[in-house]
């Protein structure tokens, strides 16, 4: 039940786009058609589900203060937390590269759907942001971290597919010239964000 | 000389990284509820953009193009760690407010974008100025958004009361809505609207 609660919360209440603005750049750049945005959303979800638990383990057994005590008691006072950023981003870049190779070898059809988006994802702020939030919230086990990653990914997928659907319809509407394209996308995202705030405070 | 000057001035208006190129939105919106974190964030991003542009430009002949993304990430991450440690030591309150967004400077697309588009093909001096200019362009938008959000949302600027007490006594109320995250998007949308009305050549044609 706790997992379910965490999942719902990370999809709707703490939505990566509407509450934290993470991954905005690709969200605005790739949301022109529903099909490509669904592909990117799936790729982001996929990478989040893998990277967040891995970074959780790295954080727990290497980075947090006193984490090295499992090697020998002499290391109990070591604090490596200043290495967080560089290690997390290296792990993410490596995992994205490995995933790309695995997908290419075993499921070429999935590769042709996700392939072009995978290299983009290493520098998507939603991925690094999710790992950093995971570190800040101090989850108690690796399962929670995985559920958090999955929920955030699904929330991101939901947001990008929704804006892509709206933008497809927008093509036929009359928008002031200066507002076309980026301007109106910003304002629509803002309105969607206000709508999503209705989920705030939900507890299961 | 005018060419070098252009590198710093252009990104403030014509090629603004936020409103024209739509880069680096993520961190731009989250830190703008008040002016002070926005100023600190703008300064941090400017420093990182300028220095990483300089370093990558110095290294550009030695980096094999296949692994350039990793090299760039390492350089940027190192700079961001230094900024983060500095903020934790000298401005702890602000560093708490900015929370994960300091770390997210690493994946800020402005920095990667400038490294890819400019630093890899230009000399160190030009690259440094280009980074500086783009950092200023980013800070400018951050400051405008934060100015309006703090003024209308809390009636203060940098923590000082700006709207006089007599206004409140006459029935004026702070607009609580503008503090909420989604309003930042709408404020940026309006800035883009105004900017493109004044510069019609920036308008997009109806391709969405």
């Amino acid at each position: 039940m706790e997992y379910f609660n965490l999942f719902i919360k990370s999809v709707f209440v703490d939505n990566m786009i509407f509450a934290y603005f993470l991954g905005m750049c690709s969200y605005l750049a790739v949301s022109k058609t529903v099909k490509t945005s669904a592909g990117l959303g799936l790729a982001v979800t996929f990478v989040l589900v893998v990277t967040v638990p891995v970074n959780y383990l790295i954080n727990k057994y290497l980075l947090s203060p006193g984490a090295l005590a499992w090697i020998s008691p002499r290391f109990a006072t070591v604090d490596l937390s200043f290495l967080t950023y560089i290690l997390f981003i290296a792990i993410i870049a490596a995992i994205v590269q490995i995933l790309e190779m695995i997908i290419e070898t075993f499921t070429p059809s999935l590769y042709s759907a996700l392939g072009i988006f995978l290299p983009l994802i290493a520098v998507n702020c939603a991925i690094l942001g999710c790992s950093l939030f995971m570190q800040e919230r101090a989850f108690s086990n690796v399962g929670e971290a995985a559920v958090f990653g999955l929920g955030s990914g699904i929330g991101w997928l939901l947001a990008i597919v929704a804006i892509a659907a709206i933008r497809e319809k927008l093509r036929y509407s009359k928008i002031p010239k200066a507002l076309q394209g980026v301007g109106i996308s910003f304002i629509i995202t803002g309105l969607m964000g206000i709508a999503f705030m209705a989920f705030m405070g939900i507890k299961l | 000389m005018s060419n070098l000057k252009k590198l710093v001035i252009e990104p403030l208006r014509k090629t603004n990284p936020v409103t024209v190129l739509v880069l680096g939105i993520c961190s731009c919106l989250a830190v703008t509820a008040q002016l002070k974190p926005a100023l600190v964030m703008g300064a941090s991003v400017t420093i990182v953009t300028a220095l990483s542009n300089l370093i990558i430009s110095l290294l550009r002949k030695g980096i094999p193009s296949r692994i350039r993304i990793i090299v760039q990430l390492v350089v940027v991450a190192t700079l961001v760690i230094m900024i983060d440690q500095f903020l934790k030591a000298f401005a702890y309150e602000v560093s708490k407010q900015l929370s994960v967004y300091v770390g997210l400077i690493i994946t800020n697309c402005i920095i990667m974008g400038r490294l890819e588009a400019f630093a890899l093909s230009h000399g160190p001096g030009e690259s440094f100025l280009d980074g500086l200019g783009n950092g200023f362009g980013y800070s400018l938008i951050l400051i405008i958004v934060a100015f309006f959000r703090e003024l209308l949302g809390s009636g203060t600027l940098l923590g000082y009361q700006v709207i006089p007490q007599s206004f409140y006594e006459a029935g004026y109320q702070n607009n609580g809505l503008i503090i909420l995250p989604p309003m930042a998007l709408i404020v940026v949308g309006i800035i883009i609207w105004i900017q493109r009305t004044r510069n019609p050549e920036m308008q997009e044609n109806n391709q969405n």
Side-chain angles (χ1 to χ4, degrees), chain B residues 7 23 36 66 99 104 108 112 115 160 168 175 208:
Chain B
L7 284 176
L23 295 174
K36 200 172 164 198
R66 284 179 61 89
S99 73
L104 288 174
N108 192 319
M112 292 303 279
L115 291 179
Y160 297 106
Y168 290 104
N175 186 348
N208 263 319

Side-chain angles (χ1 to χ4, degrees), chain A residues 20-22 25 82 125 180 182, chain B residues 26 85 99 101 104 109 181 204:
Chain A
Y20 299 114
F21 311 112
L22 295 180
C25 315
F82 66 93
C125 8
Q180 271 168 21
V182 189
Chain B
C26 329
Q85 298 289 321
S99 73
Y101 292 97
L104 288 174
C109 344
E204 293 171 44

Side-chain angles (χ1 to χ4, degrees), chain A residues 51-68:
Chain A
T51 53
V52 175
V54 171
N55 278 339
Y56 176 83
L57 293 175
I58 295 277
N59 185 44
K60 191 163 181 192
Y61 292 110
L62 278 179
L63 293 174
S64 56
L68 289 173

Side-chain angles (χ1 to χ4, degrees), chain B residues 11-186:
Chain B
L12 289 181
R13 297 182 53 237
K14 286 274 156 62
T15 57
N16 190 291
V18 178
T19 58
V20 181
L21 307 176
V22 206
L23 295 174
I25 315 289
C26 329
S27 53
C28 171
L29 301 169
V31 299
T32 51
Q34 283 171 334
L35 202 50
K36 200 172 164 198
L39 281 171
V40 173
M41 188 71 183
S44 313
V45 170
T46 309
I47 294 169
V48 175
T49 323
L51 289 183
S52 63
N53 252 7
L54 178 70
I55 294 172
I56 291 292
S57 170
L58 286 172
L59 294 175
R60 72 183 190 281
K61 301 237 168 67
I63 304 174
S65 71
R66 284 179 61 89
I67 58 158
R68 67 180 193 283
I69 303 271
I70 301 278
V71 176
Q72 289 164 0
L73 280 177
V74 170
V75 170
V76 176
T78 314
L79 288 168
V80 170
I81 289 175
M82 290 198 281
I83 296 266
D84 184 47
Q85 298 289 321
F86 181 83
L87 285 181
K88 272 188 187 143
F90 293 102
Y92 190 69
E93 302 278 292
V94 181
S95 136
K96 266 271 156 302
Q97 255 177 319
L98 291 174
S99 73
V100 302
Y101 292 97
V102 178
L104 288 174
I105 298 177
I106 299 173
T107 50
N108 192 319
C109 344
I110 295 177
I111 297 174
M112 292 303 279
R114 288 332 286 173
L115 291 179
E116 282 283 301
F118 200 91
L120 282 176
S121 54
H122 290 77
E126 283 174 281
S127 302
F128 182 74
L129 289 179
D130 178 77
L132 217 55
N134 278 284
F136 287 147
Y138 171 86
S139 315
L140 181 72
I141 301 295
L142 226 65
I143 289 167
I144 296 176
V145 176
F147 176 82
F148 283 110
R149 284 183 75 192
E150 190 175 350
L151 183 67
L152 299 176
S154 336
T156 57
L157 283 178
L158 285 171
Y160 297 106
Q161 184 92 22
V162 172
I163 293 177
Q165 197 60 40
S166 54
F167 274 45
Y168 290 104
E169 279 155 20
Y172 175 84
Q173 284 199 339
N174 286 328
N175 186 348
L177 187 65
I178 208 155
I179 296 282
L180 300 178
M183 285 308 288
L185 286 161
I186 294 180

